[in-house]
Amino acid sequence: MQYDFVNELGYLAIATRLKRISEAMVHSGRDMYKSLGMDIEPNWYLIFRLLQKYDQLSVMEMTAKLHFSHPSVISLVNKMEANGYLESAPDKKDSRKRQFRLSEKAHSNIPEFEKVWTAGTIGVEKLFTDNSFLDQLESIEIQLSQSDFKERTLNELSK
Amino acid sequence: MQYDFVNELGYLAIATRLKRISEAMVHSGRDMYKSLGMDIEPNWYLIFRLLQKYDQLSVMEMTAKLHFSHPSVISLVNKMEANGYLESAPDKKDSRKRQFRLSEKAHSNIPEFEKVWTAGTIGVEKLFTDNSFLDQLESIEIQLSQSDFKERTLNELSK
DNA sequence: TGATAAAATGTAGTTGACTACACTAATATA
DNA sequence: TATATTAGTGTAGTCAACTACATTTTATCA
């Protein structure tokens, strides 16, 4: 890796670095799916896994589980439905809701996807020497959900 | 923190989590600057620090040091110049280049900014029990620059 | 030198996240 | 019951990153 000024900046540049790593991985993932001739996107993984576990969910149920905004979820599921991976039907009891489930195409393709997802998981896992990184990530998430960056900084400022 | 399905997904969802954390911090930082009546944006920190260190830089020199795309840098420096924090002048030797430096306004405001940046750094630092997180981050960056997610996954797939 | 390639900047358009607003349906309440 | 509030979905517009393309200037080299 060539010289990177951002890494000199310590903790205050951490958001920049996290975003760069994330974008590099997503970009590379998109590229990989294309190379493998798979017509799916990196983020669809979240929805596939959700509907494997919960079978049928509405938009708001997905936003609650993923902590995404609802427009983001709508955008994801619309694209997946347009590509034939999801089916939606109005909820029987509440006509405001659309219930989404995996399509037949999804079920028949997922075994192939699983191979790639397993390989991807192993590949990423090898980036870490132990699993303390995931633990630290969770710790950061919890702490920031209790008191965000602004609050923490203003608190330090007032000392 | 409420239930978060993404955290069940392990290593393959790490990009999603990094991005969420990054966006939460940037969002909160923007909000903080606003609350404090400071007319700056979180990412401007990178440019302030660059020009403190290097005094005068062109767009491409900044992209090389930050590993950002050049349109991103252009967008940043244009906004900063519009807000009076940067001054630019054509390079004497190469008329394609614009050389950027900190303005008088920047120099006179930075001491106040430093207080906030120091507080922010301390606040973020306290999210971590030790500094292994930054080390791990650097290790990931280096590894991914040598072989990206796609390559790693395809490599595992072929085993 | 003249032609070609490379470099620096800039613009346009894309993407995926977001907030804000709009609409409709369901629920709560006076 | 009628009205007000809340909830679910959808749309529009913003934002910061990106790629691709365009333009101009500089550098290379036949």
Side-chain angles (χ1 to χ4, degrees), chain A residues 2 11-12 17 69 81 92 106 116 145:
Chain A
Q2 323 98 290
Y11 288 107
L12 211 48
R17 292 171 72 180
S69 69
E81 188 171 31
K92 304 248 159 57
V116 180
S145 74

Side-chain angles (χ1 to χ4, degrees), chain B residues 30 41 43 69 71-72 79 93-96:
Chain B
R30 190 184 315 279
E41 303 272 334
N43 259 352
S69 69
S72 299
K79 276 183 283 186
K93 294 177 184 163
D94 185 339
S95 70
R96 293 171 304 181

Side-chain angles (χ1 to χ4, degrees), chain B:
Chain B
M1 194 166 65
Q2 325 96 291
Y3 173 69
D4 190 342
F5 179 74
V6 178
N7 291 3
E8 290 180 13
L9 296 177
Y11 287 109
L12 211 49
I14 223 169
T16 300
R17 292 170 72 178
L18 297 181
K19 190 168 200 173
R20 279 197 318 199
I21 294 171
S22 171
E23 281 180 357
M25 291 181 75
V26 170
H27 185 276
S28 186
R30 190 184 315 279
D31 185 27
M32 177 191 72
Y33 284 140
K34 210 173 181 179
S35 295
L36 292 170
M38 295 162 69
D39 63 338
I40 60 175
E41 303 272 334
N43 259 352
W44 298 8
Y45 175 71
L46 304 172
I47 308 291
F48 279 124
R49 284 288 188 241
L50 258 186
L51 292 176
Q52 280 183 311
K53 179 168 183 184
Y54 294 100
D55 202 59
Q56 173 173 309
L57 291 171
S58 70
V59 170
M60 290 310 289
E61 285 164 346
M62 294 192 232
T63 71
K65 293 187 194 305
L66 297 176
H67 297 189
F68 274 44
S69 69
H70 79 271
S72 299
V73 171
I74 289 175
S75 165
L76 279 175
V77 295
N78 281 347
K79 276 183 283 186
M80 290 178 73
E81 188 171 31
N83 278 267
Y85 287 108
L86 297 186
E87 287 164 359
S88 68
D91 188 288
K92 303 251 159 56
K93 294 177 184 163
D94 185 339
S95 70
R96 293 171 304 181
K97 293 185 186 175
R98 266 163 85 198
Q99 292 287 353
F100 290 86
R101 20 172 78 249
L102 296 174
S103 68
E104 191 42 48
K105 177 180 176 186
H107 286 297
S108 66
N109 280 288
I110 281 176
E112 202 56 37
F113 297 167
E114 292 287 3
K115 292 177 192 165
V116 179
W117 294 338
T118 301
T121 301
I122 295 170
V124 174
E125 200 169 356
K126 287 185 176 171
L127 292 172
F128 307 94
T129 46
D130 52 47
N131 58 5
S132 77
F133 190 81
L134 283 185
D135 294 340
Q136 285 177 79
L137 218 51
E138 179 139 30
S139 158
I140 295 165
E141 288 165 343
I142 292 169
Q143 290 182 75
L144 284 178
S145 75
Q146 288 160 351
S147 173
D148 66 9
F149 172 74
K150 173 187 176 181
E151 199 174 312
R152 286 169 187 276
T153 304
L154 295 181
N155 181 43
E156 293 299 330
L157 252 188
S158 69
K159 281 182 182 169

